[in-house]
């Protein structure tokens, strides 16, 4: 999967900045800031894990207190600020207060996000000391945006960004976003962060509904290893700087905006899967012909998290038996004797038995960057798609190595 | 984990036999028979996978038709007789009919089990041709029992057996069993088979309840990779040849019998985990202090199937963050700030933060054959234990290699 071109035109009225404040031992960028010139409509979705990092708790609090009108995001990599006792909230609050002071805004207008090692106290003084230069450095340039995208990475092998435009009342609205995927640090776990900026004019409530809906079909349809993190966060700021009229619910403009947002989020989500730890390829699993979308999703997710399915894909093995068996244990009723399975566009199973196919040709097709799988239950009309990556020895190497 | 000594004394009134009928290309033993001299009370538990192999369907049918009184098990390795269309039931029925004819019993008194490759028609004629010599070869000797235990293996690296005794009315009752674990063959999937024989006198209904209850705490508390098979089967035959009185429900004799059966099944289950594909060690996960046993079990199973937890154990990494995060996504409410975690008997997490511990000493302890983990939710009094193995690069190698 080729990383997309850097966005040529960014949403208006946003500045980005990044610096190395010393959280990463390598001296790489580890602190980023995203600021809207004016108060922006804000929306966010967070991890559903019961264990939630301090910055997640603070983001929820600020979103509520500021009634969905915020202006900035401060994000650090190298430390997740999670499971460190009351010091976690103290560090997250101090970060918001200092950023707000430097930017001349209220602390509750600042989102704070962290990713990296958990269980180790965040050396907040390094973040606080870097804040004045970070606040001064903000620019609306592509270069600044890309630096911000780099500052949130942990063990990602490459930065991830995407952009799209839509039209509202004859004018252009821009959306740009960046994300980081599964990274493991002492005592490591996966964290997904995504930040989206748009110059659309849209009320916080409608923005929240739109983001939640789009996330369900994009960020919530990918899986690398089935584990979910304590810090997962997706944030969008919409500052209206495009000068267009406000987007009304269920209008043509809203549909256009939602489609553009989905395009950006879909691209970001697939970039995460493609850069999954040790991944060689993306597997697109479509379950169709189900009675309900929930049933289709449950089967697709069971297939996508099956170690036996994912290891077969590592070897390019057209192993339909494992796909059928994973579907069969998903807890959803269907008739295996009516089910149809296709791998890399080759029909392999129909009406309770294997179809003859050229194994070598299938093997070659399964070595592609993206391999589509279709499971048709022939029961109804609902469907769901889920994306995952293959499960390689490199994944085990990355995650089993005793930390040094 | 050391394999147990072969049982010196087997249950009375049973004969065992094994042969190589040509299903395994290597010429290894691939067909086994277990026969009771007299009709025996029979009970069985089967896979909950929606996709069920033909022999599983036939076993259910025979158990019902014979009203829980059966006499024989015929089991083959090298072919799962699954997902091959109507030919599957034809082959399974033919096997039962031929075995019954050779043994002079009714076809419905025969259980038929298969494990191995799925999607490939079973060459039943090889099984049928071998049946006369198999039926003649049956002996009650330890050697015959061990040969039977070998005949059901697929990619297991060693045979698995266990035995125990209990007292009923002053006399000895014997229980012996063997099992096979996760084996992967084209288009591979894991199958677990277990066969138990006892000379206890017990009614089929009580035997079924006892087996189901014991299985819940033994075979259903282990996981190698979270995938469940189309062929999983546990069968017990109780022929009463010990000459003791019939075991009455909830009597002291029943408690003694259930305890002995649990001892055998627990040993067999742990042997499966220890021989899990690529496994270096067994991880015993105990979740205690839960509000309900179901909640404790759900958290324990989520931890036991987390790739991040299992890869950390491959490296001997005392990574409590992954255990806490897996517990947090289990879908059960608890307070992470009250939770206590212990790894290899070392307290590592309490009241929302890490406890200081000697990392190198912990690492060394985590390289043991069996590593105990305790998660105490401090909410109630219910608990559950689950056993799993570590997740190694060797597991991926075994399951990703393109079949030849």
């Amino acid at each position: 999967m080729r990383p997309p071109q850097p966005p040529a035109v960014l949403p208006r009225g946003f500045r980005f900045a990044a610096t190395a404040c010393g959280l990463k031992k390598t001296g790489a960028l580890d602190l980023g800031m995203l600021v809207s010139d004016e108060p922006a409509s804000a929306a966010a979705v967070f991890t559903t894990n019961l264990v939630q990092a301090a910055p997640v708790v603070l983001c929820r609090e600020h979103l509520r207190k500021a009634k969905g009108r915020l202006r900035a995001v401060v994000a650090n990599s190298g430390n997740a600020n999670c499971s460190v006792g009351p010091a976690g909230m103290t560090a997250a609050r101090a970060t918001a207060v200092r950023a707000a002071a430097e930017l001349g805004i209220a602390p509750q207008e600042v989102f704070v996000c962290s990713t990296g090692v958990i269980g180790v106290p965040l050396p907040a003084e390094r973040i606080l000391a870097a804040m004045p230069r970070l606040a001064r450095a903000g620019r609306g340039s592509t270069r600044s945006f890309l630096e911000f995208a780099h500052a949130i990475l942990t063990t990602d092998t490459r930065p991830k960004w995407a952009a799209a435009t839509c039209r509202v009342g004859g004018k252009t609205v821009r959306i740009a976003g960046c994300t980081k995927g599964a990274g493991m640090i002492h005592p490591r776990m996966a964290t997904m962060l995504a930040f989206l900026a748009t110059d659309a004019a849209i009320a916080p409530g409608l923005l929240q509904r739109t983001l939640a809906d789009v996330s369900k079909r994009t960020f919530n349809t990918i899986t690398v290893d089935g584990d979910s993190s304590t810090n997962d966060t997706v944030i969008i700021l919409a500052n209206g700087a495009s000068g267009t009229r406000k987007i009304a619910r269920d209008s043509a403009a809203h549909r256009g905006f939602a489609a553009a947002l989905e395009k950006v989020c879909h691209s970001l989500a697939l970039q995460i899967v493609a850069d999954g730890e040790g991944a060689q390829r993306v597997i697109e699993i479509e379950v169709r012909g189900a009675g309900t979308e929930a049933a289709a999703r449950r089967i697709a997710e069971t297939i996508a998290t099956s170690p036996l399915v994912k290891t077969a894909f590592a070897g390019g093995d057209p192993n339909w038996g494992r796909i059928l068996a994973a579907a069969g244990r998903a807890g959803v009723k269907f008739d295996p004797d009516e089910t149809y399975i296709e791998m890399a566009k080759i029909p392999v199973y129909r009406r309770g038995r294997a179809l003859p196919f050229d194994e070598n040709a299938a093997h070659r097709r399964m070595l592609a960057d993206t391999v589509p799988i279709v499971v048709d239950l022939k029961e109804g009309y609902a469907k769901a798609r889920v994306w995952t990556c293959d499960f390689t020895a490199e994944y085990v190497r990355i995650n089993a190595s005793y930390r040094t």
Side-chain angles (χ1 to χ4, degrees), chain A:
Chain A
M1 177 164 293
R2 219 175 289 269
Q5 289 294 312
V9 185
L10 289 169
R12 290 184 185 169
F14 286 97
R15 286 169 288 147
F16 307 89
T19 188
C21 74
L23 296 173
K24 282 181 183 164
K25 286 179 193 156
T26 58
L29 296 173
D30 53 16
L31 185 64
M33 185 184 268
L34 181 170
V35 190
S36 170
D37 294 339
E38 302 294 330
S41 292
V45 293
F46 300 101
T47 179
T48 56
N49 199 307
L50 203 63
V51 181
Q52 307 217 335
V56 171
V57 176
L58 190 72
C59 281
R60 288 185 198 278
E61 183 186 311
H62 284 187
L63 194 57
R64 198 174 55 242
K65 278 192 182 168
K67 298 188 171 60
R69 298 290 290 174
L70 282 83
R71 283 188 55 182
V73 175
V74 176
N76 74 273
S77 53
N79 189 308
N81 191 18
C82 179
S83 296
V84 292
M89 281 307 286
T90 307
R93 275 191 209 288
T95 301
V97 166
R98 183 67 64 94
E102 293 295 334
L103 295 168
I105 62 178
Q108 68 196 35
E109 290 182 288
V110 181
F111 284 115
V112 176
C113 298
S114 299
T115 178
V117 42
I118 87 154
V120 173
L122 176 69
E125 66 286 356
R126 296 183 199 171
I127 292 176
L128 303 185
M131 208 59 82
R133 68 174 187 273
L134 195 66
R136 276 196 308 274
R139 299 284 181 279
S141 68
T142 298
R143 181 179 167 164
S144 296
F145 173 74
L146 299 188
E147 283 181 356
F148 175 80
H150 271 94
I152 62 173
L153 303 182
T154 53
T155 56
D156 306 64
T157 68
R158 49 187 182 263
K160 299 161 183 72
W161 56 72
T165 59
C166 61
R167 302 285 286 178
V168 176
K171 287 186 180 163
T172 297
V173 161
R174 297 153 206 87
I175 307 173
C178 61
T179 193
K180 72 162 293 271
M184 312 283 159
I185 316 157
H186 165 75
R188 299 144 281 191
M189 67 179 55
T191 295
M192 195 215 91
L193 297 178
F195 303 109
L196 300 149
T198 175
D199 49 22
I202 181 169
L206 184 55
L207 187 62
Q208 180 66 45
R209 273 194 296 274
T210 311
L211 179 67
D213 187 49
V214 165
S215 292
K216 203 162 58 180
R217 285 196 304 278
T218 55
F219 296 117
N220 288 345
T221 60
I222 59 170
T223 170
V224 169
D225 51 21
D227 274 297
S228 75
S229 139
T230 51
N231 293 52
D232 291 346
T233 300
V234 179
I235 286 171
I236 186 167
L237 292 179
N239 66 1
S242 58
T244 63
R245 66 163 186 267
K246 209 159 186 179
I247 295 173
R249 190 171 182 179
D250 296 330
S251 63
H254 184 215
R255 284 190 293 276
F257 175 74
L261 184 62
E262 181 156 343
K263 191 175 148 190
V264 171
C265 293
H266 180 76
S267 171
L268 293 176
L270 258 64
Q271 289 177 58
I272 291 174
V273 173
D275 197 23
E277 290 180 320
Q280 299 169 308
R281 58 190 58 96
V282 172
I283 310 162
E284 180 187 292
I285 298 158
E286 178 173 318
V287 174
R288 61 167 85 130
T292 65
E293 193 189 322
R297 183 166 308 283
R298 187 151 171 194
I299 291 173
E301 283 175 357
T302 305
I303 295 169
T305 52
S306 158
L308 287 179
V309 169
K310 287 159 68 77
T311 49
F313 276 92
D317 185 355
N319 196 326
W320 58 266
R322 293 187 186 172
I323 290 175
L324 182 66
R329 70 173 167 86
V332 171
K333 238 180 134 48
F334 67 92
D335 184 353
D337 286 341
E338 290 302 318
T339 301
Y340 167 78
I341 300 176
E342 197 181 275
M343 299 181 82
K345 310 212 169 172
I346 301 168
V348 291
Y349 177 86
R350 177 181 281 140
R351 300 223 175 92
R353 70 180 90 178
L355 296 171
F357 62 90
D358 180 336
E359 292 265 350
N360 288 329
H363 173 54
R364 280 192 303 275
R365 282 212 216 171
M366 301 226 7
L367 298 178
D369 282 355
T370 299
V371 180
I373 300 302
V374 174
V375 176
D376 190 338
L377 306 179
K378 308 272 187 191
E379 297 228 320
Y381 300 93
K383 69 175 183 178
R385 281 196 298 176
V386 166
W387 286 265
T388 188
C389 53
D390 59 338
F391 210 160
T392 65
E394 178 66 8
Y395 173 90
V396 177
R397 200 195 59 72
I398 293 169
N399 286 300
S401 60
Y402 185 64
R403 54 186 184 270
T404 48

